[in-house]
Amino acid sequence: MPTAPPPETNEARLVDIARAHVRKFGHARTTVVGVAADAGMTHANVYRYFPSKSALLDEVVASGLRPLEARLRDAADGADPAHDKLERMLIAIHRDYRAKLDDDPAVFDLLIEALAKNRPSARKHRARVQSEMQRVLEEGVASGAFSMTDRRRAMSLIFDAAHRFIHPVALRLDRDAPAGAIATRFEAVLAMMLRALRTGRL
C-alpha cells in the first residue's frame, strides 16, 4: 500500500506563498504581512521561521535552484567521460536558467536581485556549481581526458567561455534573442572549449 507523502512543513508552505506573491506583485512589493495573511498566521509567527523578508525571499531563490543542483551532482557522479559530463552540466544550467527567464520572469528577477546583492542563496549556488564542475575537471585531468592540467586556467576557460550562456544577467540581456539561435551559438562555444581542454591548446 503506497505511503502518503509527508505533510508540508510550515517553512515550505510559507515559501510557496511567498513565491506566489513574487509572481503576482514582484519581489519589491511582496511583504511578510501579506504572506502571513495568506498563511493564516500573524507576521510575528512568520518570523519564527524566517528572521526577515530577505531570508524568506532568499529561500524562494534557493528552493528553485535545488533541482538544478541535484541534476549537476547526478551528472558529476555518472559514469560518462568527463567531457560529456561537463557538456551536459553546462547545457543543463543554460536550459534551466533560460526556462526560468521565459516561464517564471518574476522569480528570475528575484534570482538576479540575489546575485546583485550577493545573498546567501546566490553565493551557495555559485559555490555548488563550481564545486561540481571542479570535480569533473579533476576527473578529466586524472583520467587523461583533459590535457589542460592547470586547474585554475581550465576553470577560468570554462566560465569565461560559457558566461554569456550560463550567467542569469547575460541571459536576461539576450531575452529577445531566439532561444534556438542562442543554443546553436552555445553549442559552437562548447565545442571550442572542450577541444581546448582536451588538447591543452587555446
Side-chain angles (χ1 to χ4, degrees), residues 101 108-109 112 167-176:
L101 172 64
F108 190 84
D109 286 346
I112 297 288
H167 195 287
V169 174
L171 282 169
R172 188 165 67 175
L173 290 173
D174 278 335
R175 172 180 287 175
D176 295 331

Side-chain angles (χ1 to χ4, degrees), residues 126-142:
R126 184 167 52 243
R128 288 169 185 142
V129 170
Q130 290 176 349
S131 176
E132 299 305 335
M133 296 284 185
Q134 184 75 40
R135 277 211 294 149
V136 173
L137 178 62
E138 295 286 349
E139 177 187 320
V141 171

Side-chain angles (χ1 to χ4, degrees), residues 78-152:
D80 295 333
H83 55 85
D84 285 346
K85 291 182 184 181
L86 188 58
E87 182 177 30
R88 189 161 68 251
M89 292 164 78
L90 288 166
I91 289 173
I93 295 168
H94 171 74
R95 288 178 177 170
D96 185 272
Y97 288 167
R98 180 72 197 210
K100 284 180 169 62
L101 172 64
D102 291 339
D103 303 333
D104 206 356
V107 174
F108 190 84
D109 286 346
L110 184 59
L111 169 59
I112 297 288
E113 174 86 356
L115 288 165
K117 295 190 175 179
N118 200 27
R119 300 280 190 207
S121 58
R123 290 199 307 273
K124 291 175 183 177
H125 177 64
R126 184 167 52 243
R128 288 169 185 142
V129 170
Q130 290 176 349
S131 176
E132 299 305 335
M133 296 284 185
Q134 184 75 40
R135 277 211 294 149
V136 173
L137 178 62
E138 295 286 349
E139 177 187 320
V141 171
S143 68
F146 295 152
S147 295
M148 187 177 289
T149 56
D150 183 328
R151 273 70 163 175
R152 181 172 295 183

Side-chain angles (χ1 to χ4, degrees), residues 159-191:
F159 286 101
D160 288 351
H163 180 272
R164 181 173 185 176
F165 307 97
I166 66 169
H167 195 287
V169 174
L171 282 169
R172 188 165 67 175
L173 290 173
D174 278 335
R175 172 180 287 175
D176 295 331
I182 294 293
T184 298
R185 284 151 65 184
F186 190 26
E187 288 170 7
V189 169
L190 281 174

Side-chain angles (χ1 to χ4, degrees), residues 11-12 15-16 18-20 22-23 50 55-73 92-93 95-101 104 106-112 114 120-122 124-126 128-129 168:
E11 290 93 337
V15 169
D16 285 344
R19 184 181 295 109
V22 168
R23 288 169 176 157
F50 298 98
L56 175 57
L57 295 185
D58 215 39
E59 184 56 27
V60 172
V61 173
S63 63
L65 294 170
R66 286 187 191 116
L68 171 60
E69 293 168 0
R71 286 198 296 277
L72 297 181
R73 282 195 303 274
I93 295 168
R95 288 178 177 170
D96 185 272
Y97 288 167
R98 180 72 197 210
K100 284 180 169 62
L101 172 64
D104 206 356
V107 174
F108 190 84
D109 286 346
L110 184 59
L111 169 59
I112 297 288
S121 58
K124 291 175 183 177
H125 177 64
R126 184 167 52 243
R128 288 169 185 142
V129 170

